[in-house]
Amino acid sequence: MKILITGGAGFVGSSLAISLKSSYPDYQIFALDNLKRRGSELNIARLKQAGIDFVHGDIRSKEDFDALPAVDAVIEASAEPSVLAGLDGTPDYLINTNLFGTVNCLNYALKHKASFIFLSTSRVYPIKTIETLNFEEAETRFVLSDDQPVPGVSSRGIAETFPLDGARSLYGTTKLASELIIQEYNEFYGLKTVINRCGVITGPWQMGKVDQGVMVLWIAKHYFEQSLAYIGYGGTGKQTRDMLHIADLYRLVDWQLHNLDQVNGEILNAGGGVDSSASLQELTTICQEVTGKTIPIRQVTENRAADIRLYITDNTKVTQMTGWKPELGIREIVTDITQWLDENRAALEPILK
């Protein structure tokens, strides 16, 4: 099999590429990336060492696709992933990458009759609707109730039938617009596709920032003994997310690559679920235990733009269709990332500290 992974030097793309090459040494894998995100350059040596063909290119450029060979499958893992991107009034890079770039990827896949796996986001679900959900305030976290004002949500989390009316951030909008176009290519061009609405993905080699990659950011701040803040929702750190280890996402993508007919045309939520979720307060406790370090954490009561109180993925549909479910919990994730920081401290300190 020949596979193109866009965003191939990013955290998700490089991790998937290296895992695939490890599992299937005979596969030829191309990793396409424009290296815009700081830290992605560290992955070039890792890709080369794994036997993956790195291609310096940009999905915004149709000409860069013309130079690529034919492949059997495209994994679209490229994106400007920040929820705050474009909110400063200049959304051009965001839209050109996350929407028009996806169209270039689709046309390339169509040209070669390649199957198409799209990594979308839970951010397609509207912010205001999520913020009006019924919840309970437990001792260390916010918890979703079963009794809800809208369909597609329960104590298990948010499902694919959750209403899509409303604003969701420019990032979420570009990903949802891409989803709609992918469905058209599937229906009218016969392109085999699957869309994965991923929750928070994390793991080693993620270059965490405050607006994207919060799990690595939180652990790294403990590791390097710096300071953090609980921002919004009273400053209590009870806001809650589920976390998906990149190794768990890889198992799903691997299955889809080899069984795409069984999920062709589907949209699937894929996240850590309730069993792999934590509030910032709970994450802090685990970070203290794993790293052995306690750091100062400020309290900021005011909410940030585009933030949400809690998001948990309901994986019911994807589990029923594929048998997949996450295996790695929060403590395993924190331990794994801390070990990675230990092993690569010299290279990572200038980026993450």
Side-chain angles (χ1 to χ4, degrees):
M1 191 181 271
K2 290 184 178 180
I3 301 165
L4 172 70
I5 300 178
T6 61
F11 159 57
V12 172
S14 63
S15 300
L16 294 178
I18 290 165
S19 294
L20 277 167
K21 190 69 176 177
S22 175
S23 299
Y24 308 99
D26 294 341
Y27 286 11
Q28 188 169 12
I29 299 171
F30 301 93
L32 177 75
D33 203 289
N34 67 0
L35 302 178
K36 186 174 190 290
R37 188 179 174 101
R38 191 168 177 217
S40 58
E41 69 281 355
L42 297 180
N43 288 321
I44 298 174
R46 296 175 62 232
L47 292 166
K48 186 175 181 182
Q49 190 177 3
I52 292 155
D53 295 300
F54 173 72
V55 181
H56 190 204
D58 197 311
I59 63 166
R60 295 173 297 169
S61 167
K62 183 183 174 297
E63 291 82 2
D64 287 355
F65 284 96
D66 293 339
L68 291 168
V71 295
D72 306 296
V74 175
I75 300 171
E76 223 287 61
S78 63
E80 165 47 67
S82 169
V83 174
L84 301 179
L87 296 185
D88 60 357
T90 52
D92 299 31
Y93 178 77
L94 175 80
I95 293 169
N96 289 334
T97 300
N98 291 9
L99 179 53
F100 299 131
T102 298
V103 173
N104 287 334
C105 294
L106 283 164
N107 288 334
Y108 167 78
L110 194 63
K111 176 182 175 183
H112 299 297
K113 297 182 171 56
S115 55
F116 194 86
I117 296 174
F118 184 64
L119 299 186
S120 189
T121 172
S122 59
R123 281 291 184 168
V124 301
Y125 299 115
I127 292 168
K128 284 181 181 173
T129 315
I130 292 173
E131 287 290 80
T132 57
L133 295 178
N134 293 330
F135 68 95
E136 292 153 23
E137 186 171 346
E139 190 178 345
T140 58
R141 66 157 70 191
F142 297 123
V143 181
L144 283 169
S145 309
D146 275 319
D147 180 31
Q148 293 292 346
V150 294
V153 60
S154 68
S155 59
R156 287 193 310 274
I158 288 173
E160 295 83 356
T161 51
F162 194 83
L164 289 172
D165 293 341
R168 57 188 51 77
S169 79
L170 287 163
Y171 163 64
T173 297
T174 55
K175 299 297 275 188
L176 181 60
S178 293
E179 286 188 13
L180 293 171
I181 292 169
I182 290 165
Q183 290 173 74
E184 298 297 319
Y185 273 66
N186 178 274
E187 178 71 22
F188 294 107
Y189 296 144
L191 190 68
K192 289 184 179 179
T193 66
V194 65
I195 293 166
N196 297 301
R197 288 178 179 162
C198 300
V200 178
I201 309 167
T202 191
W205 295 103
Q206 184 177 38
M207 304 301 164
K209 299 190 296 182
V210 69
D211 56 341
Q212 198 273 327
V214 68
M215 186 80 168
V216 169
L217 171 83
W218 213 259
I219 298 163
K221 291 291 186 188
H222 278 83
Y223 185 86
F224 292 117
E225 297 184 85
Q226 296 182 289
S227 62
L228 282 166
Y230 295 140
I231 301 174
Y233 305 102
T236 60
K238 290 187 179 182
Q239 55 265 61
T240 302
R241 298 287 187 277
D242 60 342
M243 306 284 175
L244 181 63
H245 193 295
I246 187 66
D248 278 327
L249 177 62
Y250 166 69
R251 290 190 303 105
L252 177 62
V253 170
D254 180 22
W255 188 95
Q256 290 175 344
L257 265 175
H258 300 96
N259 301 275
L260 195 59
D261 286 343
Q262 294 182 46
V263 287
N264 183 28
E266 294 290 344
I267 296 174
L268 303 170
N269 280 2
V274 175
D275 290 343
S276 184
S277 66
S279 68
L280 288 178
Q281 196 181 125
E282 292 164 352
L283 180 59
T284 297
T285 301
I286 296 170
C287 286
Q288 288 170 349
E289 291 168 0
V290 172
T291 66
K293 296 171 183 177
T294 300
I295 62 171
I297 300 180
R298 292 182 299 117
Q299 293 185 310
V300 179
T301 55
E302 297 80 20
N303 293 0
R304 254 187 330 203
D307 208 357
I308 52 178
R309 178 181 285 103
L310 77 162
Y311 184 91
I312 305 284
T313 308
D314 184 347
N315 287 319
T316 302
K317 181 180 177 184
V318 69
T319 301
Q320 286 175 346
M321 293 199 77
T322 70
W324 174 88
K325 59 183 179 182
E327 293 176 352
L328 298 166
I330 298 294
R331 187 171 290 274
E332 289 100 327
I333 293 170
V334 174
T335 302
D336 210 12
I337 291 169
T338 302
Q339 188 178 339
W340 165 68
L341 288 166
D342 271 337
E343 292 168 358
N344 300 276
R345 179 167 184 147
L348 297 173
E349 194 161 358
I351 297 169
L352 292 174
K353 187 170 179 179

